[in-house]
Amino acid sequence: QVQPVESGGGLVQAGGSLRLTCTASSATFYMYNMGWFRQAPGKEREVVAAIAWIGTPKYYADSVKGRFTISRDNAKKTIELQMNNLQPEDTAVYYCAAASHTLNSDLPTSTASYNSWGQGTRVTVSS
């Protein structure tokens, strides 16, 4: 079982950048599809980006395309989310999550497909 742990959140001004890191403890990390999700106050949790177990394909929500980049390093058991040109609407708690990989299945992007979640890291973007 993957136990994701997020780090890297904080307070940044609009237009700034942050890098989130998710570290996993499982020796089988490389077998998991991984995703970044976020939840803003009063809103449902939504997918931000996802990356397949072998590093491709990747998925980005329309709201972050061109600004956010997801990557993974299976040797280090980490995934990262580089967030550039942050805007106030990006303010949320960001969660890292893992989904077991199954053969011939698409990269999952729904929260229901992910069964291991981190505690979250808060990102606040001031205007």
Side-chain angles (χ1 to χ4, degrees):
Q1 190 80 356
V2 175
Q3 298 292 333
V5 178
E6 306 94 338
S7 62
L11 173 64
V12 64
Q13 289 187 333
S17 298
L18 283 174
R19 177 177 294 176
L20 305 184
T21 300
C22 174
T23 303
S25 59
S26 173
T28 57
F29 169 79
Y30 65 93
M31 297 176 66
Y32 288 82
N33 298 313
M34 300 296 295
W36 284 101
F37 295 77
R38 68 186 181 187
Q39 188 165 17
K43 295 188 177 181
E44 292 188 355
R45 192 169 298 187
E46 62 178 4
V47 64
V48 175
I51 186 167
W53 62 292
I54 56 172
T56 187
K58 300 177 184 180
Y59 168 87
Y60 296 97
D62 288 344
S63 58
V64 306
K65 280 181 181 177
R67 300 189 297 124
F68 291 12
T69 302
I70 189 171
S71 61
R72 71 185 294 159
D73 185 330
N74 284 344
K76 296 181 179 179
K77 303 177 188 177
T78 60
I79 67 168
E80 292 188 338
L81 185 69
Q82 177 66 44
M83 306 185 295
N84 297 328
N85 191 21
L86 283 160
Q87 300 300 314
E89 52 265 34
D90 296 316
T91 295
V93 176
Y94 284 70
Y95 297 90
C96 177
S100 299
H101 160 68
T102 55
L103 289 176
N104 301 318
S105 62
D106 294 332
L107 177 62
T109 59
S110 67
T111 56
S113 298
Y114 288 77
N115 47 27
S116 295
W117 293 82
Q119 294 300 306
T121 185
R122 186 175 300 277
V123 172
T124 303
V125 185
S126 63
S127 57

